[in-house]
Amino acid sequence: MASNRRVLLNSRPQGEPTDANFAIDEAPIPEPKDGEYLSRTIWLSLDPYMRGRMAEAKGYAANVNLGDPMVGGTVGQVVKSKNPKFKEGDYVVEYSGWQSYAVSNGAGVMKLDPAVAPLSTALSVLGMPGMTAWWGLMEIGKPKAGETVVVSAASGAVGSVVGQLAKLRGCRAVGIAGGKDKCDYVVNELGFDACVDYRAAGANLYKELRAAAPKGIDVYFENVGGAVQAAVVPQLNDFARVPLCGLISQYNEMQMNPGPDWRLLLIKRATVTGFIVSDHFDKMEGFWKEVPAAVKAGKIKYREDIVKGIENAPQAFMGLLKGKNFGKLLVQVSEDPTRSR
């Protein structure tokens, strides 16, 4: 008999997560009640924000309780339904977490048409990462033709879209990524003007970034923090804009490290705006008008890093926090019937 394989939060990390913080569990497949449906998880998205949900400290959203499945965005297929809005066989993007089956009442769920785009893109370029890139760059960065846009974690699911959107608006796009292969991909495949390998640069990161962005930085899309941020901030132009999306280099820190001299932000009259994309899901008309068409036309490219089997999600997630993934990190939980089409 099939069962519902789940990954539970077993304990709260003290610094970097370890295998001991997770537990693999086999539970009965739940039965939908009236007004609900049961879905089989096909794709699970792994994202940096999940590290914050594992903590005890209060964040911008509810943390995972010990013994509960880890949270996360998913794509699934309806296998049993007692909700007239969803029928057996429908594909849905939902928030079922790290488990192979889930019951939902349909709130916040969107149906997917696999003929329009691969199902997995609902968790990457046409999902939360793509929306994050679009909103942060367009609404906070407000790039203008001829300006220089620098994005950290440039080969990742968010950063890769940011740079391509910047190029479509006539900007100079400069990426920062870890490793020659990632930088080669950012320049040769995604079309960025330059990419700085922060690992190879080491103490010369400031100089290499200055060479890649000789006119200074007008928009800095921040995904990383730490040493990368410290090299960027002194190079911001007057009235620069900084969409503050993430600080992945600091998520495992139990005590915050000293950052760059924020007085420079005052001197440069820079605007730094932290944002959570879920606050803006109802304002994505521009995203839906631009990005799906650009993806279909090949003007925006994307890359997926796929791990098979939900039992491998913990190791993949721990690697994500260290930058080991290359592209949008997804777990294939079960067969995708549309994948070979």
Side-chain angles (χ1 to χ4, degrees):
M1 294 289 290
S3 63
N4 186 19
R5 177 166 283 193
R6 310 182 299 172
V7 179
L8 311 180
L9 179 61
N10 190 49
S11 59
R12 301 199 185 278
Q14 301 298 311
E16 292 184 10
T18 67
D19 286 332
N21 299 131
F22 304 94
I24 309 296
D25 174 69
E26 301 280 351
I29 296 176
E31 279 291 328
K33 299 174 184 175
D34 287 342
E36 296 179 335
Y37 68 81
L38 172 70
S39 64
R40 168 183 65 88
T41 304
I42 299 173
W43 296 102
L44 165 67
S45 175
L46 296 182
D47 300 283
Y49 76 83
M50 295 171 177
R51 175 60 182 86
R53 304 291 178 86
M54 299 175 74
E56 196 166 15
K58 184 174 174 21
Y60 63 85
N63 293 342
V64 180
N65 294 320
L66 293 178
D68 283 355
M70 285 287 295
V71 295
T74 56
V75 167
Q77 185 175 29
V78 176
V79 294
K80 189 182 295 186
S81 181
K82 294 183 179 179
N83 183 322
K85 295 181 180 178
F86 298 89
K87 66 180 187 297
E88 187 175 321
D90 282 348
Y91 294 106
V92 289
V93 59
E94 47 193 356
Y95 199 71
S96 296
W98 298 24
Q99 55 185 343
S100 49
Y101 289 89
V103 162
S104 171
N105 63 9
V109 173
M110 184 174 71
K111 291 185 184 180
L112 297 173
D113 181 353
V116 173
L119 295 176
S120 57
T121 61
L123 300 174
S124 60
V125 67
L126 300 183
M128 184 184 69
M131 293 180 189
T132 300
W134 186 89
W135 180 268
L137 184 64
M138 296 298 106
E139 298 298 324
I140 299 173
K142 300 185 183 301
K144 304 178 187 68
E147 290 189 325
T148 297
V149 176
V150 171
V151 53
S152 54
S155 69
V158 174
S160 61
V161 177
V162 172
Q164 292 178 88
L165 287 171
K167 288 299 296 178
L168 289 174
R169 275 154 182 78
C171 298
R172 177 173 177 81
V174 176
I176 303 173
K180 183 179 184 301
D181 55 345
K182 290 183 178 180
C183 276
D184 287 346
Y185 169 72
V186 164
V187 173
N188 298 331
E189 292 294 321
L190 302 184
F192 283 51
D193 295 286
C195 185
V196 177
D197 178 356
Y198 72 87
R199 289 178 180 164
N204 293 318
L205 179 57
Y206 178 95
K207 290 182 180 178
E208 293 201 15
L209 185 57
R210 171 61 75 187
K215 296 182 179 179
I217 299 166
D218 300 294
V219 179
Y220 173 49
F221 199 102
E222 172 64 295
N223 289 312
V224 172
V228 171
Q229 184 186 82
V232 169
V233 170
Q235 304 191 49
L236 293 176
N237 289 331
D238 290 350
F239 306 106
R241 291 81 69 198
V242 181
L244 176 52
C245 176
L247 299 165
I248 194 170
S249 72
Q250 300 172 23
Y251 289 167
N252 287 327
E253 300 292 335
M254 299 301 290
Q255 194 169 5
M256 289 297 102
N257 294 324
D261 186 353
W262 287 96
R263 289 175 299 176
L264 292 171
L265 300 177
L266 172 62
I267 293 167
K268 296 172 183 295
R269 288 87 82 202
T271 298
V272 180
T273 305
F275 73 103
I276 306 297
V277 70
S278 55
D279 293 338
H280 310 290
F281 280 158
D282 60 341
K283 310 180 195 78
M284 288 291 168
E285 297 89 350
F287 169 83
W288 291 115
K289 189 179 292 184
E290 176 178 7
V291 177
V295 172
K296 190 171 184 179
K299 294 180 179 179
I300 291 181
K301 301 176 182 178
Y302 65 96
R303 179 177 178 134
E304 297 173 337
D305 191 338
I306 296 172
V307 174
K308 293 193 174 182
I310 196 160
E311 66 278 2
N312 295 315
Q315 278 293 328
F317 176 67
M318 288 185 272
L320 169 71
L321 296 176
K322 297 178 181 179
K324 291 184 178 180
N325 62 299
F326 193 163
K328 171 59 193 164
L329 185 57
L330 298 168
V331 178
Q332 185 168 1
V333 179
S334 65
E335 180 191 1
D336 183 344
T338 70
R339 196 68 174 177
S340 59
R341 292 180 187 177

